[in-house]
Structure formats: C-alpha cells, structure tokens
Amino acid sequence: MRQEFRKALVTGASSGIGEAFARLLAARGADLVLVARRDDLLRRLAEELSTRHRVGVEVLPADLTDPGDLERVAGRLTDEPVDLLINNAGSAAFGPFAEVPPAERLAEIDLNVTALTRLTHAALPDMLRRGRGGVLNVASMAAFTPSPGNAVYGATKAYVAALSESLHAEVIGRGVHVTALCPGFTRTDESAGPDLIWLRRQDVARAGLEAVAAGRALCVPGVQYKVALPALRTAPRTLLRTAVDRTWRRAARTRTGD
C-alpha cells in the first residue's frame, strides 16, 4: 500500500541530500522536524520552508555522535511520533585506514551506524502500533563493493543496507515500510546537471521518497547505477577487489604526484 507522510524527521537536514528531502517534503505539505549540527543553517531553512509552503517546521540542533544529543533526538521520536524517519546524516573519513586517526574512524561508526540504529529503534515501535509509517535509511552503492581508501564508510553503508532489508522483512505486512536508499556519486551543487557518473541531490531524494512510500526494500537511483548493481552483486569478489584496488592506487598516485 502506498503511503503519504504527514510529518517527517530528517537528520543531516541542513545541506546536501538532507536539505533536498526537506524541500520536497515541505512542497508536498508535510510538517518537518529538521536535525543537524548547524543551528543557523537549520533555522534559515526552516523559515524559508514554513513561509513558502505554510507547513510546520521544528528545528532540533544536535550532534548525533554525542550520546546526550542522540538520546534527545530519540526521545523526541518516542514522545512525539512522526510518520516518516529519514536517517540521512552520515560522514566519511577518506584516506588509508591506518593513516586516519582512530577517533575519526570511530566517529564515522557512531554517526553512520550507532545513531541510525538508535533512531530507527526509537521510531519503529509506535509506527508498528499505529500500523503505518516509514523509515528511509540512506546507504550507498559503496555498500556493495570493497572501498579501499574509504573502508569504514563502505562497511558502515553495508550495515545500513543489510539492516534496512532485514527490518523491511520483519515489518512487511504490518503497514510500515523500511527502505535503504543507495545512491552513487551525488552532486551537492545544484547548478550542475546529472551525467554518466554524477546524480543530482533532488533526484536522489525524490527517488528515495517514492521508494519508501511504495514500500520497496531497496532503492538505487539513476539508470547507470541500477545497471551496475546486478554486476556488483554477482561478480567474483576477487575481480571486484582487483578492479577497485587498481582504481585506488591510481587515485593515490594522482594525489601524491607520483
């Protein structure tokens, strides 16, 4: 059954795909709870959306890697339930695994895995009691391939995709939709159009919203990435590792000028 969402909480809402989610939902008449670290950006966006679309917009500044802030947002979901939770906030610490400080790697896990899991757990029980609602978790195409130079990010996004598909199977038939959104390379600059590699953020957000409304377990935006996914899932892992290793080494040589 296709769902319409009247109120949504969006994490990482101050820019990028998160901002695109907020704009699309507001244009559809949904009230919003916007979560991100930057209070000033959130308030500016909230004022614009509430004025333009006459929807309610609540600003909830929070650093989801901070346990206290995370519990505050989780409490908001349990005390005042929403129809749609979009776990969009995420981070990546690029570079060889051994050369990036461990605190940065652990912060990736805190945001991409721990916060997403906690907020999903906070939102689902009430959705299941009401027999309606949706959770859209932003993963990545990196979930399906080795990611040298971005190993922890790829591993966290594999977790997000696996968790989302498993939860989708748990709640199917109970009126609640859980969807993993797996975009490839996505532009944050809206002045540029899509091409053979890069997607536009509003196209990614729109595809994700359509997928969770329709109750699909997995959404891969862009024809180029839809075509690539079956190959990534069926190709021998040794072949995939060889291909990405060559790409990583070439990129590393470019960075160092060798």
Side-chain angles (χ1 to χ4, degrees):
M1 178 188 302
R2 182 179 178 80
Q3 292 204 34
E4 296 296 330
F5 303 112
R6 296 186 295 271
K7 189 163 192 175
L9 186 147
V10 184
T11 69
S14 61
S15 62
I17 300 173
E19 181 185 345
F21 280 127
R23 291 185 180 280
L24 287 170
L25 286 164
R28 297 176 183 185
D31 294 330
L32 299 170
V33 182
L34 304 181
V35 179
R37 291 178 298 175
R38 291 285 303 274
D39 179 78
D40 56 336
L41 294 180
L42 285 180
R43 293 192 182 281
R44 192 178 309 146
L45 179 61
E47 182 177 0
E48 177 190 344
L49 296 181
S50 61
T51 301
R52 176 178 297 179
H53 300 293
R54 300 189 180 280
V55 295
V57 185
E58 177 184 343
V59 169
L60 191 55
D63 178 354
L64 295 178
T65 66
D66 178 271
D69 280 6
L70 176 58
E71 285 306 308
R72 182 161 52 86
V73 178
R76 171 62 180 75
L77 286 167
T78 55
D79 295 341
E80 300 179 60
V82 297
D83 300 310
L84 175 64
L85 167 63
I86 301 180
N87 283 308
N88 166 76
S91 67
F94 296 100
F97 178 83
E99 296 178 14
V100 175
E104 294 185 30
R105 296 301 188 193
L106 294 175
E108 274 188 272
I109 296 170
D110 286 342
L111 183 57
N112 299 0
V113 172
T114 304
L116 178 144
T117 304
R118 179 66 185 97
L119 296 184
T120 301
H121 192 273
L124 271 181
D126 187 81
M127 291 180 181
L128 291 169
R129 279 193 295 271
R130 287 183 288 138
R132 69 181 310 276
V135 178
L136 180 60
N137 292 326
V138 179
S140 169
M141 288 296 289
F144 307 112
T145 179
S147 301
N150 211 9
V152 173
Y153 178 82
T156 62
K157 294 305 182 178
Y159 171 90
V160 172
L163 175 72
S164 301
E165 289 197 271
S166 296
L167 294 181
H168 174 86
E170 284 189 15
V171 303
I172 193 169
R174 300 181 64 182
V176 179
H177 302 166
V178 179
T179 300
L181 174 61
C182 300
F185 295 110
T186 303
R187 295 189 189 279
T188 57
D189 179 4
E190 292 303 89
S191 63
D195 58 29
L196 290 177
I197 296 178
W198 292 90
L199 304 170
R200 297 188 304 173
R201 67 183 187 180
Q202 69 263 37
D203 294 336
V204 169
R206 186 177 295 107
L209 292 177
E210 293 301 316
V212 70
R216 298 201 296 272
L218 187 69
C219 174
V220 176
V223 173
Q224 64 274 52
Y225 293 109
K226 286 183 173 66
V227 170
L229 181 60
L232 292 176
R233 282 184 152 174
T234 59
R237 301 303 290 181
T238 53
L239 181 61
L240 272 179
R241 286 194 297 270
T242 299
V244 297
D245 180 63
R246 288 176 178 171
T247 302
W248 162 247
R249 290 178 185 277
R250 190 180 303 115
R253 287 196 299 271
T254 301
R255 287 196 306 271
T256 60
D258 293 343

